Amino acid sequence: MKNSNFMAYFFLAPALILMGVFVFWPVGFNTYLAFNHYEIAGGAVEWNNFENFKRIWEEDLFHQAVKNSLFFLLVVPAIQLGSLLIAKLVNNKMPGMTFFRAVYYIPVITAISIAGIVWQFVFKYDGMLNSFLTEIVHFLHIYPKEQLVDIDWLGDPDIAMYSIMIFTLWKGLGYYMVLYLAGLQAIPAEVEEAAILDGANAWDRFWKITIPMVKPTILLCTMLSTIGALKVFLEVLVLTDGKAETYTALYYVYDQAFRNYDFGVAAAAGLVVTFFCMILAAIQFRFFGEK
Amino acid sequence: MFKSKELNRIFSVVLQYASLSAFGLFTMFPLLWALSFGLSSDGSYAYLFPDSFLPHVADEAGGYGIGATLVWFERVFVEIPFSVYFKNSVIITTLAVVGTVVISVLAAYPLSRMRFFGRNFIFVAIIATLMLPQETALVPNYITIVKLGNFADWLQLTLTGSDAATWKKLIGMNSYLGVVLPGVAGAFGIFLMKQAFEAVPQDLIDAARVDGATEMQILWRVMLPVTTPSIAALAIFTLVNQWNEYIWSSIVMRAKDMQPLAVGVFNDLTGPLSGSQNTLMAAIVLTVIPVLIFFAFTQRYFISGMDGAVK
């Protein structure tokens, strides 16, 4: 290593300047905005005595948004179990596994706005999903021939959040599958072979060998998807646009900022979300920081 | 006769492929459906399961048969400014990839290979930004970009005396740089390149120093050639992420002729003036296909190249 302050900072300058302006400055400015009223027209800033926090504390819409964000955590166990199972399936040494891995990863590399449009048509009142379900109930003779399934997947406030979860599941399974694959491939083949010799069946092997040995990956992925679930908002934006009581915490921030142009309230709500994410991230760093 | 053990094995293989295919259908059906929808001559069969997964074309007698037509794919270019969006996507993505790679490489080199005042502090500060939810930076960054545009305006007026307001088109709202700049310097890229540089043997660098190479020459002639796989990985991740990025681009790019595909196509297809559903699905397929082709060639970087990220 060579000691050279000038050269080092010369190399670092572009990154530090850009991160300073677009990553570090927003933290401070956001906190500042949260305690002030921001005049969008002239950019005048005025202290308003915690008015922004009082407002979100009292507003039903924000309560609903926070409740929805917490409710959305339901997607975490589903996505973890699902992606671990898929990873287990594609980790076999059988022909065609590369193909299946690629197929499962395609939703991850599809733009969320574009995928959202297709799913709007899937979830529509007279859309794909209902037509599929109609076929099934007719086949099983649950419904009479003339009756159709007509669930309003994105319009019914009781169902809309679940529909957004299905979309999130579809979009995220492949991402976590890849992380779990890496974890699975670190398990020595001998361990599993020994268990087979001892007569353990697939179910026992999954719970007694696979799960304990990928525990670090499970912890990491659970943390990542918990933070991801708390921050859910683009999914809402592209599917329901906040209709049918689907406001989430960050959607509320976006809505206040870029539809109402109330930057102060948006910043206050954003600060609350940041606070919770930092706590979760700190826990995550405690678990994984030393690695 | 098969022994029961043999039968069991065959049964388990069949079961595995069946579940693999079922999962595959779950992940692929929206795209397959959109493709079949776009290739059909109209929407008559589009919502009939399972017919909707094969394109249907009307014949002269008014009946429908399985077939394909490209007429809606041609309509896409007429109804929405698809090629303008495509051009914008290409420009924005290129700027983002070049910017991210250059800045990450420059920043990672001193962090991994030089000793200087404040090194650990800077590295920890950069990594700590991973904890911040980037979404809350949308408002401050929006204000910053507007102010940068106004500043460019003022600068042009002061320096050249012209009030043409052309400079703000370079950096303010509705500018390519405005979309790209906030994202190019990030913890992920710097961390990835730092890991790569740390794996380079010290002897290589010492040999270059003995030969009188400057730091810039060491970085360019020694470090870069041996870390191309990491640079490729960073470039590929950045490319796909930027191509798909929606929210920040939709905030900065208010002008229709500056929007990338992910924003422009979404607005056109969900707006009040959206055309027929067949055109819509054709546009979706056309938007996804470039990424799919790119993914087909680089998939190992996504599916096996991330091992390092977990360990």
Side-chain angles (χ1 to χ4, degrees), chain B residues 4-19:
Chain B
S4 84
K5 217 173 188 176
E6 184 74 355
L7 207 64
N8 248 341
R9 206 186 60 82
I10 291 176
F11 179 71
S12 116
V13 168
V14 169
L15 192 74
Q16 283 190 33
Y17 275 105
S19 10

Side-chain angles (χ1 to χ4, degrees), chain A residues 2-5 8-9 11 18 22 26 92 94-95 97 103-104 109 111 113 121 124 128 131-132 135 170 257, chain B residues 16-17 20 24 26-28 33 47 49 53 103 106 115-117 136 139 141 185 216 244 262 266 277 291:
Chain A
K2 204 175 145 198
N3 194 347
S4 140
N5 283 336
Y9 279 99
F11 281 130
L18 282 171
F22 294 109
N92 288 330
M94 301 198 301
M97 288 309 125
V103 163
Y104 299 159
I109 52 148
S113 54
F121 282 85
K124 242 173 31 157
M128 232 328 268
S131 123
F132 172 67
E135 265 325 294
W170 174 81
Chain B
Q16 283 190 33
Y17 275 105
L20 285 167
F26 175 62
T27 53
M28 283 298 283
W33 182 49
Y47 295 103
F49 184 84
F53 283 90
I103 285 170
L106 283 179
R115 191 172 304 162
F116 59 92
F117 175 76
T136 52
V139 171
N141 282 349
M216 204 51 152
N244 291 335
F266 179 78
Q277 291 183 7
V291 191

Side-chain angles (χ1 to χ4, degrees), chain A residues 118-137 148-154 159 162-164 166-167, chain B residues 26 29 33 46-49 52-53:
Chain A
V118 186
W119 277 88
Q120 275 182 24
F121 282 85
V122 171
F123 281 138
K124 242 173 31 157
Y125 189 75
D126 52 355
M128 232 328 268
L129 183 57
N130 279 344
S131 123
F132 172 67
L133 292 175
T134 303
E135 265 325 294
I136 288 181
V137 294
L148 304 175
V149 178
D150 52 0
I151 303 167
D152 197 356
W153 292 97
L154 293 175
I159 302 175
Y162 293 104
S163 307
I164 297 173
I166 294 174
F167 176 74
Chain B
F26 175 62
F29 86 90
W33 182 49
Y47 295 103
L48 295 174
F49 184 84
S52 50
F53 283 90

Side-chain angles (χ1 to χ4, degrees), chain A residues 101 178 181-182 185, chain B residues 298-308:
Chain A
R101 285 180 203 175
V178 169
L181 257 178
Q185 278 160 0
Chain B
T298 56
Q299 51 135 323
R300 66 193 178 88
Y301 282 100
F302 293 90
I303 295 177
S304 55
M306 294 214 321
D307 300 25

